[in-house]
Amino acid sequence: MKKLRLAVASVAVGMLALSGCGQGGTPDAPADGDGAKAEAPEYEVNDSADVADSKTWKAAKDSGEITIGVKYDQPGLGNVSAGSKEPEGFDIEIAKMVAAQLGFSPDEIKYRETVSANREPFLQQGNVDMIVATYTINDERKKVVDFAGPYYVAGQDLLVAADSDIAGPEDLDGKKVCSVDGSTPAQNIKEKYKKAELVTYDAYSKCVTDLQSGSVDAVTTDDAILRGYAKQYEGEFKVVGKPFTEEPYGVGLPKDDDALRDAVNDALEQGMDDGDWEKAFEYTLGSTDDVDMPDVDRY
C-alpha cells in the first residue's frame, strides 16, 4: 500500500469531516487550509493516447465519446444534487482522471446512471465502456467482467439510528437490515448473518428512507458511503464504526479486453504517482492523514 501524508485523521474521519451537504445530499467541496473551498482538479488529456488493440476504446474514440457508468445517489462518491445534471464525487473524479489518460476530455464523457444490480449486464451488453461505481472486485464478478485497480479499499459497516443499541454485526439477529440488489454487502449479510432479515432495493437512498421511517433497523454497505449519508442526515444516524470486510473498489471493464485493462491500470498508477489521485480525494472527501493508496493488481 502506498502512504499519503495529509492533514486530518483517516479515510473514515475524512468522511466525517465533510462540509455541509446541499439539498440533494452532495457534500460541498472540502475547504483547504485557509478555509476556502478546494478547487476542482483538472486532469491533463493525453492527446497521444493509443489503445487501438482495445475494441472498446477504438469504438469510443471513433464516436468521440466514452460512456462511463456511475452511481447517482451516493454522497461524496457518485451523486447528483438537486438542480444539477452532472454527477460529482470521488468516483467521478477517478472516472475523469482515467478518461483523460485514455485521451478523452471531460466534455467527451457521457455518464450513465448505474445501480449495483445492473453493472455486469451493462458491461456485457455494451451499454457502458467502463464502470466507476463503488464496484468491489471479487472472484465471482471476474468470471463475467474484468477490473482495473483497485483505486480505493473500503470496509463494510452499518448505518443505524442515532439512538440505536446496534454496536456491530453481532447484534443483527432478528433485525431488518437493508442493502441493494446484487451488492457484495447484501451477499455478506445473507451468507454470514443468517438470523438477520435482509431487505434489498435498487438504490441505497431507498434503504435510508426506510431507516428514517423505522421500517428497517440498519443499512449496510461500505463505510465511505454510509458516512456520506450520516453527514447528510446529521443527528439522525450514526455509523457503527466497526468495519467487518475489505472492499477493494475497481474500474469495471468488458471481459477479456486486456488492452483496455492495462491502459486503465496505467492511468490509475500514473494518477497515484503524479498527485492527481490525491487531488481527487481531497476535493471530494477531504484531507486525510496516512491514507492508504492501494497497489494496482495486474491479475
Side-chain angles (χ1 to χ4, degrees), residues 1-14 152-153 277-278 281-282 286-294:
M1 304 287 277
K2 304 174 183 178
K3 289 286 187 179
L4 272 179
R5 299 283 178 181
L6 301 175
V8 196
S10 68
V11 174
V13 176
Y152 181 73
V153 178
W277 187 99
E278 178 181 345
F281 193 98
E282 287 187 307
S287 296
T288 63
D289 186 22
D290 294 328
V291 173
D292 288 332
M293 288 192 298

Side-chain angles (χ1 to χ4, degrees), residues 251-272:
V251 178
L253 301 166
K255 185 68 175 171
D256 296 328
D257 194 334
D258 295 346
L260 182 60
R261 188 174 76 242
D262 287 342
V264 174
N265 278 329
D266 289 344
L268 291 172
E269 287 185 335
Q270 179 161 333
M272 292 178 188

Side-chain angles (χ1 to χ4, degrees), residues 10 27 58 66 80 82 94 108 113 122 139 170 193 257 282:
S10 68
K58 190 174 185 307
I66 187 167
V80 176
I94 292 295
E108 292 175 317
E113 183 177 11
F122 270 20
D139 290 340
E170 65 278 359
Y193 303 97
D257 194 334
E282 287 187 307

Side-chain angles (χ1 to χ4, degrees), residues 1 10-13 15 71 74-77 90-91 119 133-138 141 149-158 184-185 188 192 204 220-228 239 241-250 272 277 281 285 291-295:
M1 304 287 277
S10 68
V11 174
V13 176
M15 286 304 299
K71 294 287 183 70
Q74 295 179 350
L77 291 160
F90 183 58
D91 281 354
R119 288 177 297 198
T134 60
Y135 201 1
T136 299
I137 302 169
N138 64 37
R141 288 172 176 162
Y151 61 88
Y152 181 73
V153 178
Q156 185 173 349
D157 211 323
L158 300 168
T184 302
N188 286 337
K192 299 177 183 178
Y204 290 112
T220 188
T221 186
D222 304 341
D223 56 345
I225 298 170
L226 297 179
R227 293 186 187 281
V239 178
K242 290 185 179 179
F244 49 97
T245 67
E246 282 194 354
E247 308 296 336
Y249 290 169
M272 292 178 188
W277 187 99
F281 193 98
L285 300 180
V291 173
D292 288 332
M293 288 192 298
D295 294 318

Side-chain angles (χ1 to χ4, degrees), residues 71 73-74 113-120 133-136 141 156-157 177-190 197-210 216 218-222 225-226 229:
K71 294 287 183 70
D73 68 336
Q74 295 179 350
E113 183 177 11
T114 306
V115 299
S116 294
N118 67 18
R119 288 177 297 198
E120 287 87 22
T134 60
Y135 201 1
T136 299
R141 288 172 176 162
Q156 185 173 349
D157 211 323
V177 184
C178 192
S179 194
V180 301
D181 302 316
S183 69
T184 302
Q187 191 65 28
N188 286 337
I189 296 296
K190 186 182 299 184
E197 183 180 341
L198 180 64
V199 178
T200 61
Y201 293 110
D202 63 352
Y204 290 112
S205 54
K206 296 178 182 179
C207 287
V208 174
T209 298
D210 272 11
V216 300
V219 178
T220 188
T221 186
D222 304 341
I225 298 170
L226 297 179
Y229 281 118

